[in-house]
Coordinates of all heavy atoms in Angstrom, one line a residue:
N15 N -4.7 -2.3 17.3 CA -3.3 -2.5 16.8 C -2.7 -1.1 16.3 O -3.6 0.0 16.5 CB -3.2 -3.6 15.7 CG -4.0 -3.2 14.4 OD1 -4.4 -2.1 14.2 ND2 -4.4 -4.2 13.7
K16 N -1.7 -1.0 15.8 CA -1.0 0.2 15.5 C -1.9 0.9 14.4 O -1.9 2.2 14.5 CB 0.4 0.0 14.9 CG 1.5 -0.4 16.0 CD 2.8 -0.5 15.4 CE 3.9 -0.9 16.4 NZ 5.1 -1.0 15.8
A17 N -2.4 0.2 13.4 CA -3.2 0.8 12.4 C -4.5 1.5 13.0 O -4.7 2.6 12.6 CB -3.6 -0.2 11.3
V18 N -5.0 0.8 13.9 CA -6.2 1.4 14.6 C -5.9 2.7 15.4 O -6.6 3.8 15.3 CB -7.0 0.4 15.5 CG1 -8.1 1.1 16.2 CG2 -7.5 -0.8 14.5
V19 N -4.8 2.6 16.2 CA -4.4 3.6 16.9 C -4.1 4.8 16.1 O -4.3 6.0 16.4 CB -3.4 3.3 18.0 CG1 -2.7 4.5 18.7 CG2 -3.8 2.3 18.9
N20 N -3.3 4.6 15.1 CA -2.9 5.8 14.1 C -4.1 6.4 13.5 O -4.0 7.6 13.4 CB -1.9 5.1 12.9 CG -0.5 4.8 13.5 OD1 -0.2 5.3 14.5 ND2 0.1 3.9 12.8
R21 N -5.1 5.7 13.2 CA -6.3 6.3 12.8 C -7.0 7.2 13.7 O -7.5 8.3 13.4 CB -7.3 5.2 12.2 CG -8.6 5.8 11.7 CD -8.3 6.5 10.3 NE -9.6 7.1 9.8 CZ -9.7 8.4 9.4 NH1 -8.7 9.1 9.4 NH2 -10.8 8.8 9.1
I22 N -7.1 6.6 14.9 CA -7.6 7.4 16.0 C -6.8 8.8 16.3 O -7.5 9.8 16.5 CB -7.7 6.6 17.5 CG1 -8.6 5.5 17.1 CG2 -8.1 7.4 18.6 CD1 -8.5 4.3 18.4
I23 N -5.6 8.6 16.3 CA -4.7 9.8 16.5 C -5.1 10.8 15.4 O -5.1 12.0 15.6 CB -3.2 9.4 16.5 CG1 -3.0 8.7 17.8 CG2 -2.4 10.6 16.3 CD1 -1.6 8.0 17.7
T24 N -5.1 10.4 14.2 CA -5.4 11.2 13.0 C -6.7 12.0 13.1 O -6.8 13.2 13.1 CB -5.4 10.5 11.7 OG1 -4.1 9.9 11.6 CG2 -5.7 11.4 10.5
V25 N -7.8 11.2 13.5 CA -9.0 11.9 13.7 C -9.0 12.8 14.8 O -9.7 13.9 14.8 CB -10.2 10.7 14.0 CG1 -11.4 11.3 14.3 CG2 -10.2 9.9 12.6
L26 N -8.3 12.4 16.0 CA -8.4 13.4 17.2 C -7.5 14.6 16.7 O -8.0 15.8 17.1 CB -7.5 12.8 18.3 CG -8.3 12.1 19.3 CD1 -7.3 11.5 20.3 CD2 -9.3 12.9 19.9
G27 N -6.5 14.6 16.1 CA -5.8 15.7 15.6 C -6.7 16.6 14.8 O -6.7 17.9 14.8
E28 N -7.5 16.0 13.9 CA -8.3 16.7 12.8 C -9.5 17.5 13.7 O -9.8 18.6 13.5 CB -8.9 15.9 11.8 CG -7.9 15.4 10.9 CD -8.4 14.2 10.0 OE1 -9.7 13.7 10.2 OE2 -7.8 13.8 9.0
L29 N -10.1 16.7 14.6 CA -11.1 17.4 15.5 C -10.5 18.5 16.3 O -11.2 19.5 16.5 CB -11.7 16.3 16.4 CG -12.6 15.3 15.6 CD1 -12.9 14.1 16.7 CD2 -13.8 15.9 15.1
E30 N -9.4 18.3 16.9 CA -8.8 19.3 17.8 C -8.6 20.6 16.9 O -8.6 21.7 17.4 CB -7.5 18.8 18.5 CG -7.9 17.8 19.4 CD -6.5 17.0 20.0 OE1 -5.5 17.1 19.3 OE2 -6.6 16.3 21.1
T31 N -8.0 20.5 15.8 CA -7.8 21.6 14.8 C -9.0 22.2 14.3 O -9.2 23.5 14.3 CB -7.0 21.0 13.6 OG1 -5.8 20.6 14.0 CG2 -6.7 22.2 12.7
A32 N -10.1 21.4 14.1 CA -11.3 22.1 13.6 C -12.1 22.7 14.7 O -12.7 23.8 14.5 CB -12.2 20.9 13.0
F33 N -12.2 22.1 15.8 CA -13.0 22.6 16.9 C -12.5 23.9 17.8 O -13.1 24.5 18.3 CB -13.5 21.6 17.9 CG -14.6 20.7 17.3 CD1 -14.4 19.4 17.3 CD2 -15.7 21.1 16.6 CE1 -15.2 18.5 16.7 CE2 -16.6 20.3 16.0 CZ -16.4 19.0 16.0
K34 N -11.1 23.9 17.8 CA -10.5 24.9 18.6 C -10.7 24.8 20.1 O -9.8 25.1 20.8 CB -10.8 26.4 18.1 CG -10.6 26.5 16.7 CD -9.1 26.6 16.3 CE -9.0 27.0 14.8 NZ -7.8 26.4 14.2
E35 N -11.9 24.6 20.5 CA -12.2 24.4 21.9 C -11.8 23.0 22.5 O -12.2 22.1 21.6 CB -13.7 24.8 22.2 CG -14.0 26.1 22.0 CD -13.4 27.1 22.9 OE1 -13.3 26.8 24.0 OE2 -13.0 28.2 22.3
P36 N -11.3 22.8 23.6 CA -11.1 21.5 24.2 C -12.3 20.7 24.3 O -13.4 21.2 24.6 CB -10.5 21.9 25.6 CG -10.7 23.1 25.9 CD -11.1 23.9 24.6
F37 N -12.4 19.2 24.1 CA -13.5 18.5 24.5 C -12.9 17.2 25.0 O -11.7 16.9 24.8 CB -14.1 18.1 23.1 CG -13.3 17.5 22.1 CD1 -13.1 16.2 22.0 CD2 -12.6 18.4 21.1 CE1 -12.1 15.6 20.9 CE2 -11.8 17.8 20.2 CZ -11.7 16.5 20.1
N38 N -13.7 16.6 26.0 CA -13.3 15.4 26.8 C -13.5 14.3 25.8 O -14.2 14.3 24.8 CB -14.2 15.2 27.9 CG -14.0 16.4 28.9 OD1 -13.0 16.8 28.9 ND2 -15.0 16.6 29.7
R39 N -12.7 13.1 26.0 CA -12.7 12.0 25.2 C -13.2 10.7 25.9 O -12.9 10.6 27.3 CB -11.3 11.5 24.8 CG -10.6 12.6 23.8 CD -9.8 13.6 24.5 NE -8.8 14.3 23.8 CZ -8.9 15.5 23.3 NH1 -10.1 16.1 23.5 NH2 -8.0 15.9 22.5
F40 N -14.0 9.9 25.3 CA -14.4 8.6 25.9 C -14.1 7.4 24.7 O -14.6 7.6 23.7 CB -16.0 8.7 26.1 CG -16.5 7.3 26.6 CD1 -16.3 6.8 28.0 CD2 -17.2 6.6 25.8 CE1 -16.6 5.7 28.4 CE2 -17.7 5.4 26.2 CZ -17.4 4.9 27.6
S41 N -13.4 6.6 25.2 CA -13.1 5.3 24.2 C -13.8 4.1 24.9 O -13.6 3.8 26.0 CB -11.7 5.2 24.2 OG -11.1 6.3 23.6
D42 N -14.6 3.4 24.1 CA -15.2 2.2 24.5 C -14.5 1.0 23.8 O -14.6 0.8 22.6 CB -16.7 2.3 24.2 CG -17.4 0.9 24.6 OD1 -16.8 0.1 25.1 OD2 -18.8 0.9 24.5
T43 N -13.7 0.2 24.5 CA -13.0 -0.9 23.9 C -13.5 -2.2 24.3 O -12.8 -3.2 24.0 CB -11.5 -0.7 24.4 OG1 -11.5 -1.0 25.8 CG2 -10.9 0.6 24.0
V44 N -14.7 -2.2 24.9 CA -15.5 -3.5 25.1 C -15.5 -4.3 24.0 O -15.3 -5.7 24.2 CB -16.7 -3.2 25.9 CG1 -17.4 -4.4 26.2 CG2 -16.6 -2.5 27.2
G45 N -15.8 -3.9 22.8 CA -16.0 -4.8 21.7 C -14.6 -5.3 21.1 O -14.6 -6.2 20.3
A46 N -13.5 -4.9 21.6 CA -12.3 -5.4 21.1 C -11.8 -6.8 21.6 O -12.0 -6.9 22.9 CB -11.0 -4.4 21.5
D47 N -11.5 -7.6 20.9 CA -11.1 -9.0 21.4 C -9.8 -9.3 21.6 O -9.3 -10.3 22.1 CB -11.8 -10.1 20.4 CG -11.2 -9.9 19.0 OD1 -10.5 -8.9 18.7 OD2 -11.6 -10.7 18.2
A48 N -8.8 -8.2 21.3 CA -7.4 -8.3 21.3 C -6.6 -6.9 21.2 O -7.2 -6.1 20.6 CB -6.8 -9.4 20.4
I49 N -5.6 -6.9 21.8 CA -4.7 -5.7 21.8 C -3.3 -6.2 21.3 O -2.7 -7.1 22.0 CB -4.7 -5.0 23.1 CG1 -6.1 -4.5 23.4 CG2 -3.7 -3.8 23.0 CD1 -6.2 -3.8 24.8
D50 N -2.9 -5.6 20.2 CA -1.5 -6.0 19.6 C -0.7 -4.6 19.6 O -0.6 -4.0 18.7 CB -1.7 -6.6 18.3 CG -0.3 -7.0 17.7 OD1 0.5 -7.1 18.5 OD2 -0.3 -7.1 16.4
L51 N -0.3 -4.2 20.8 CA 0.6 -2.9 20.8 C 1.8 -3.3 21.8 O 1.5 -4.1 22.8 CB -0.2 -1.8 21.5 CG -1.4 -1.3 20.7 CD1 -2.3 -0.4 21.5 CD2 -1.0 -0.7 19.4
N52 N 2.9 -2.6 21.6 CA 4.1 -2.9 22.5 C 4.4 -1.6 23.2 O 3.8 -0.5 22.9 CB 5.3 -3.4 21.7 CG 5.7 -2.4 20.8 OD1 5.8 -1.2 21.0 ND2 6.3 -2.9 19.5
F53 N 5.0 -1.8 24.3 CA 5.3 -0.6 25.2 C 6.0 0.5 24.5 O 5.7 1.8 24.8 CB 6.2 -1.2 26.4 CG 6.4 -0.1 27.5 CD1 5.3 0.3 28.3 CD2 7.7 0.4 27.6 CE1 5.6 1.2 29.2 CE2 7.9 1.4 28.6 CZ 6.8 1.9 29.3
E54 N 6.8 0.2 23.6 CA 7.7 1.3 22.9 C 6.7 2.1 22.0 O 6.8 3.3 22.1 CB 8.7 0.7 22.1 CG 9.5 1.6 21.2 CD 10.5 0.9 20.3 OE1 10.8 -0.2 20.5 OE2 11.1 1.8 19.4
Y55 N 5.7 1.5 21.4 CA 4.8 2.2 20.5 C 3.9 3.1 21.4 O 3.5 4.1 21.0 CB 4.0 1.2 19.7 CG 2.9 1.9 18.9 CD1 3.3 2.6 17.7 CD2 1.6 1.8 19.2 CE1 2.3 3.4 17.1 CE2 0.5 2.5 18.5 CZ 1.0 3.2 17.4 OH 0.1 3.9 16.7
I56 N 3.4 2.6 22.6 CA 2.6 3.4 23.5 C 3.4 4.5 23.9 O 2.7 5.7 23.9 CB 2.1 2.5 24.7 CG1 1.2 1.2 24.2 CG2 1.4 3.2 25.7 CD1 0.9 0.3 25.0
I57 N 4.6 4.4 24.3 CA 5.3 5.5 24.7 C 5.4 6.6 23.6 O 5.3 7.8 23.7 CB 6.7 5.3 25.1 CG1 6.5 4.4 26.5 CG2 7.7 6.3 25.5 CD1 5.8 5.0 27.7
H58 N 5.7 6.1 22.3 CA 5.9 7.0 21.1 C 4.6 7.7 21.0 O 4.7 9.0 20.8 CB 6.3 6.0 20.0 CG 6.2 6.8 18.7 ND1 7.2 7.7 18.2 CD2 5.1 6.8 17.7 CE1 6.8 8.2 17.1 NE2 5.5 7.8 16.8
V59 N 3.5 7.0 20.9 CA 2.2 7.7 20.8 C 1.9 8.7 22.0 O 1.5 9.8 21.7 CB 1.0 6.7 20.8 CG1 -0.5 7.4 20.9 CG2 1.0 5.9 19.5
S60 N 2.2 8.4 23.2 CA 2.0 9.4 24.2 C 2.8 10.6 24.1 O 2.3 11.8 24.4 CB 2.4 8.7 25.6 OG 1.6 7.5 25.9
L61 N 4.1 10.6 23.8 CA 4.9 11.6 23.5 C 4.5 12.5 22.4 O 4.5 13.7 22.3 CB 6.4 11.2 23.4 CG 7.1 10.6 24.6 CD1 8.5 10.1 24.2 CD2 7.2 11.6 25.7
Y62 N 4.0 11.8 21.3 CA 3.6 12.6 20.1 C 2.3 13.4 20.5 O 2.1 14.6 20.2 CB 3.2 11.6 19.0 CG 2.5 12.2 17.9 CD1 3.1 13.1 16.9 CD2 1.1 12.2 17.8 CE1 2.5 13.8 15.9 CE2 0.4 12.9 16.7 CZ 1.1 13.6 15.8 OH 0.3 14.3 14.9

């Protein structure tokens, strides 16, 4: 949901700032039993 994605974005930003070098990302969502996100929020996150 939004809270989980916001936390992921925060951690990614912290890692990108700390490491300086680019790194690839892998997300495993197999354990998620539901997704509660709307299209507007996804676009907002993408642009951010």
Side-chain angles (χ1 to χ4, degrees):
N15 58 21
K16 288 181 182 181
V18 171
V19 173
N20 287 340
R21 180 69 184 132
I22 292 168
I23 291 168
T24 299
V25 170
L26 263 179
E28 291 169 355
L29 290 171
E30 289 166 348
T31 301
F33 290 128
K34 306 288 184 209
E35 293 294 321
F37 55 91
N38 296 331
R39 291 95 159 101
F40 175 76
S41 302
D42 183 351
T43 63
V44 171
D47 56 355
I49 298 175
D50 183 20
L51 300 170
N52 62 42
F53 186 71
E54 181 180 350
Y55 178 73
I56 293 169
I57 295 297
H58 171 78
V59 168
S60 299
L61 293 173
Y62 170 77

